[in-house]
């Protein structure tokens, strides 16, 4: 019992240190996952915790469950509109891109480290895919609002490329273990089975789970649990059928997130906490699993391979994969750089360990060190690079509170709170004169921690907390009424989009006369929207096109169509 109690205490302390360190991480720009990993290493056998942990089977089990939870949460938060925008390039990156990255990196490792080609390919396969936990964490913690084409492609790629990396790793491990020297058609059939059945289980299971969340009458606190264990069940069914559980659970989360409307926010909020628990557990466990004194032995080899992967293999694979799509050089460069490596390569590096390969410590420590390099070098620079490349777009919400009053299956309202900034459009307005959306009611105004009587029709001031009852579909309109354009560490929307806004149906010739710019003769009858679609087959908010000294910027989309466009003049 004493040993058990000590383990409980040590585990709780490690989690507390990780959680408290998360408050410091954004201030210094350090990726949170790196913090969790370092805390785990400090608690390990070479650290101050002196915890000796080397049970690879339990580590693989815990890592698999944690990744399933993280991927399900990622699917829950992926908007189906953005999914359509980023799906095709993400599929190419998650398949062809992973193969090219693994092949180039593997060939370099075999040549530079003087390894047999098959062992070099194993290194390439292990580190060839990006990691969903790392990508989701870095993008969210940095507070980046990326152009949806870029953000969706990155998130969907990281959610879909695990199956390819797992397939490649297991295939090469079997090559080494069985002494195989050639490719067999059965390998291709096995891959098609994994992808096809995994996708089918995920889509079908997600639809069934969404139906259950919507139709079943349960206690409100049980709906998030139903979603969680339903998602894990989808993973389990796919895995039992020897298909890709990771692909299935991500698609299952996507189905639930886009087919459930009432109660979804409560489910997402619960899963946000569960996903954080999974990430902390995963990286603490991986930190405990590694022995830092052994890690140093492989540092020089891992540094060479890691730098080649980041600066050569990944950019080349991304450039080839995105050639058929309309990505600018800025977008391609950013997607190349955000090829973050995280828990997945370390989990994949356990496969040679489990298979009993002679040189498993080499593969495991190389993969671990490359993950450290990626988190330090790439994770620390994501936000500055996005701003330098001008790929971030203004965010639009300052909601500080959102509580859903209904339960799934009911037409619910939400209790929503805002804190008014110094330049909120609603300042100096009387509370009775606020242009609120239909079926929205002002409930309370808090000022200096005291409620302000609404009967006196108070004038709104900066710093007021405004609380309303609203339907979910009214939140965008509320944001426009109550949210200012300037928020700390965010873009100014007026500076980004410009002051002049037009419908996408406005004629170029009319605008040319108004703002004194030339329009080519063959375009005099064109609308702004047609001109934008000439360059972008699938435009997204923030896309820009020039015409002389005028720049048109996509301002608003609806049902994948350009609705509003802003205009900026360049003198």
């Amino acid at each position: 019992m004493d040993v058990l109690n000590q383990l409980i205490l040590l585990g709780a302390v490690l989690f507390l240190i990780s959680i408290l360190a998360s408050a410091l991480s954004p201030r210094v720009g350090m990726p949170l996952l790196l913090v969790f990993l370092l805390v785990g290493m400090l608690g390990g056998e070479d650290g101050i915790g002196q915890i000796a942990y080397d049970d690879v089977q339990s580590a693989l089990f815990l890592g698999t469950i944690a990744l399933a939870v993280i991927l399900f949460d990622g699917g829950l938060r992926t908007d189906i509109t953005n999914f359509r925008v980023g799906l095709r390039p993400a599929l190419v990156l998650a398949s062809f891109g992973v193969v090219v990255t693994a092949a180039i990196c593997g060939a370099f490792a075999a040549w530079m480290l003087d390894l047999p080609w098959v062992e070099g390919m194993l290194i390439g396969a292990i580190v060839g895919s990006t990691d969903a936990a790392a990508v989701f964490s870095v993008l969210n913690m940095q507070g980046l609002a990326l152009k949806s084409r870029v953000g969706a492609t990155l998130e969907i790629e990281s959610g879909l490329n695990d199956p390819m990396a797992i397939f490649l790793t297991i295939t090469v491990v079997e090559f080494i273990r069985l002494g195989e020297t050639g490719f067999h058609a059965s390998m291709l059939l096995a891959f098609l089975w994994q992808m096809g059945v995994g996708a089918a289980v995920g889509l079908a299971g997600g639809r069934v789970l969404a139906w259950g969340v919507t139709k079943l009458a349960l206690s409100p606190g049980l709906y998030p649990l139903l979603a969680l264990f339903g998602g894990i069940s989808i993973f389990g069914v796919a895995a039992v059928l020897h298909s890709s559980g990771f692909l299935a659970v991500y698609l299952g989360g996507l189905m639930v997130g886009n087919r459930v409307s009432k109660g979804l926010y409560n489910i997402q909020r619960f899963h946000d906490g569960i996903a954080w628990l999974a990430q902390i557990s995963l990286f603490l466990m991986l930190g405990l699993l590694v022995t830092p004194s052994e890690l140093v032995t492989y540092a020089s080899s891992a540094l060479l391979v890691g730098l080649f992967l980041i600066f050569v293999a990944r950019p080349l694979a991304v450039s080839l994969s995105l050639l058929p799509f309309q990505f600018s050089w800025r977008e391609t460069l950013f997607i190349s750089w955000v090829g973050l490596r995280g828990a997945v390569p370390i989990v994949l590096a356990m496969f040679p360990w489990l298979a009993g390969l002679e040189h498993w410590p080499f593969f495991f420590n190389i993969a671990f060190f490359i993950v450290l390099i990626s988190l330090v070098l790439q994770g620390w620079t994501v936000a500055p690079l996005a701003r330098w490349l001008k790929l971030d777009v203004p965010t639009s919400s300052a909601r500080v509170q959102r509580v859903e009053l209904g339960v799934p299956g009911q037409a619910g309202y939400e209790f929503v709170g805002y804190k008014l900034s110094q330049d909120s459009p609603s300042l100096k307005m009387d509370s009775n004169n606020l242009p609120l959306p239909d079926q929205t009611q002002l409930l309370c105004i808090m000022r200096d921690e005291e409620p302000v009587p609404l009967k006196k029709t108070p004038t709104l001031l900066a710093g007021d907390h405004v609380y309303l009852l609203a339907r979910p579909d009214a939140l965008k309109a509320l944001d426009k009424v109550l949210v200012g354009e300037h928020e700390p560490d965010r873009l100014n929307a007026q500076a980004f989009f410009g002051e002049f806004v037009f419908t996408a149906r406005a004629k170029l010739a009319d605008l040319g006369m108004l703002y004194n710019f030339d329009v080519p003769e063959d375009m005099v009858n064109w609308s702004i929207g047609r001109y934008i679609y000439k360059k972008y087959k699938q435009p997204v908010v923030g896309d820009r096109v020039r015409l002389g000294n005028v720049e048109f910027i996509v301002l608003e989309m609806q049902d994948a169509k350009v609705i509003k466009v802003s205009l900026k003049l360049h003198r």
Side-chain angles (χ1 to χ4, degrees), residues 126-429:
I126 289 172
V127 301
S129 70
T130 60
D131 181 68
V135 171
F136 293 152
S137 173
V138 168
L139 293 181
N140 291 334
M141 287 303 298
Q142 296 282 6
L144 284 176
L146 296 171
K147 290 172 64 174
S148 59
R149 182 190 301 108
V150 177
T153 299
L154 283 169
E155 293 193 4
I156 297 169
E157 178 209 1
S158 67
L160 297 181
N161 65 10
D162 291 346
M164 175 61 82
I166 292 170
F167 171 77
L168 290 176
T169 302
I170 292 176
T171 299
V172 179
V173 166
E174 288 300 296
F175 262 56
I176 298 174
R177 192 174 68 87
L178 301 177
E180 298 284 354
T181 57
F183 180 82
H184 301 289
S186 59
M187 298 176 184
L188 178 60
L189 292 176
F191 174 72
L192 294 176
W193 173 268
Q194 285 191 29
M195 297 299 102
V197 175
V201 170
L203 294 173
R207 287 172 178 264
V208 172
L209 181 56
W211 177 88
V213 171
T214 303
K215 299 297 183 181
L216 294 179
L218 301 173
S219 170
L222 292 178
Y223 288 102
L225 293 176
L226 174 64
L228 173 64
F229 289 103
I232 295 175
S233 297
I234 291 171
F235 175 89
V237 169
V240 167
L241 294 174
H242 302 287
S243 63
S244 175
F246 292 117
L247 176 61
V249 75
Y250 177 75
L251 293 178
L254 180 72
M255 289 293 100
V256 173
N258 288 276
R259 295 177 73 87
V260 174
S261 55
K262 308 302 183 293
L264 179 63
Y265 180 73
N266 288 337
I267 291 173
Q268 289 178 330
R269 186 168 60 174
F270 171 84
H271 279 82
D272 182 53
I274 294 297
W276 274 116
L277 177 63
Q279 290 191 52
I280 295 173
S281 303
L282 176 60
F283 281 85
L284 283 179
M285 181 267 294
L286 295 176
L288 291 172
L289 191 63
V290 75
T291 304
S293 57
E294 294 180 8
L295 193 65
V296 175
T297 307
Y298 303 93
S300 58
S301 299
L303 185 62
L304 288 173
V305 177
L307 293 178
F308 182 84
L309 170 67
I310 292 171
F311 288 102
V312 180
R314 166 75 178 179
L316 185 57
V318 169
S319 299
L320 292 173
S321 299
L322 297 183
L323 275 178
F325 309 102
Q326 294 178 314
F327 284 82
S328 67
W329 70 267
R330 296 172 184 270
E331 294 169 339
T332 301
L333 174 60
F334 185 76
I335 292 172
S336 300
W337 188 252
V338 191
L340 286 152
R341 270 61 191 173
V344 171
I346 303 175
V347 171
L348 293 180
M350 297 180 194
F351 290 0
W353 190 347
L354 284 169
L357 299 188
E358 180 181 0
H359 302 298
W360 69 260
F362 173 78
F363 300 115
F364 182 82
N365 286 287
I366 288 283
F368 197 100
F369 203 93
I370 289 175
V371 168
L372 287 177
I373 296 170
S374 178
L375 290 177
V376 170
L377 188 59
Q378 295 171 289
W380 226 307
T381 55
V382 166
L385 184 64
R387 296 185 180 105
W388 180 69
L389 293 174
K390 299 179 180 178
L391 295 178
D392 53 343
V393 296
T395 53
S396 61
S397 179
R399 290 179 224 129
V400 295
Q401 181 90 20
R402 183 180 174 189
V403 178
E404 197 158 30
L405 302 180
V407 294
Q410 297 181 0
Y413 280 80
E414 294 189 359
F415 177 71
V416 187
Y418 292 83
K419 181 179 180 180
L420 301 186
S421 62
Q422 292 288 345
D423 49 4
S424 169
S426 62
L427 294 187
K428 306 300 182 182
M429 286 188 182

Side-chain angles (χ1 to χ4, degrees), residues 336-553:
S336 300
W337 188 252
V338 191
L340 286 152
R341 270 61 191 173
V344 171
I346 303 175
V347 171
L348 293 180
M350 297 180 194
F351 290 0
W353 190 347
L354 284 169
L357 299 188
E358 180 181 0
H359 302 298
W360 69 260
F362 173 78
F363 300 115
F364 182 82
N365 286 287
I366 288 283
F368 197 100
F369 203 93
I370 289 175
V371 168
L372 287 177
I373 296 170
S374 178
L375 290 177
V376 170
L377 188 59
Q378 295 171 289
W380 226 307
T381 55
V382 166
L385 184 64
R387 296 185 180 105
W388 180 69
L389 293 174
K390 299 179 180 178
L391 295 178
D392 53 343
V393 296
T395 53
S396 61
S397 179
R399 290 179 224 129
V400 295
Q401 181 90 20
R402 183 180 174 189
V403 178
E404 197 158 30
L405 302 180
V407 294
Q410 297 181 0
Y413 280 80
E414 294 189 359
F415 177 71
V416 187
Y418 292 83
K419 181 179 180 180
L420 301 186
S421 62
Q422 292 288 345
D423 49 4
S424 169
S426 62
L427 294 187
K428 306 300 182 182
M429 286 188 182
D430 292 340
S431 58
N432 287 346
N433 296 327
L434 281 175
L436 299 177
D438 292 339
Q439 298 180 304
T440 300
Q441 183 175 337
L442 177 64
L443 298 179
C444 177
I445 298 172
M446 297 291 292
R447 181 177 298 161
D448 298 327
E449 300 185 1
E450 296 288 340
V452 179
L454 295 181
K455 292 181 180 180
K456 296 182 179 180
T457 317
T459 300
L460 297 179
L461 304 176
D464 284 353
H465 285 78
V466 180
Y467 296 96
L468 310 100
L469 189 67
R471 296 181 65 86
D473 54 11
L475 296 183
K476 275 191 176 180
L478 275 177
D479 286 347
K480 292 180 180 180
V481 173
L482 298 171
V483 178
E485 298 289 359
H486 176 73
E487 296 180 57
D489 301 323
R490 295 184 180 181
L491 298 176
N492 181 280
Q494 182 171 307
F496 183 89
F497 290 110
E499 298 180 355
F500 310 108
V501 178
F502 302 92
T503 174
R505 296 191 298 271
K507 298 294 184 181
L508 289 176
D510 296 337
L511 294 175
M513 293 177 60
L514 185 61
Y515 292 101
N516 192 29
F517 64 87
D518 295 328
V519 178
E521 290 185 7
D522 59 337
M523 297 183 185
V524 290
N525 293 320
W526 284 25
S527 66
I528 308 177
R530 182 179 177 184
Y531 186 64
I532 290 172
Y533 278 102
K534 178 188 176 185
K535 180 176 181 180
Y536 298 102
K537 290 181 181 178
Q538 284 187 308
V540 298
V541 172
D543 277 343
R544 299 165 177 261
V545 292
R546 289 289 294 263
L547 184 58
N549 65 331
V550 169
E551 188 173 43
F552 298 110
I553 308 166

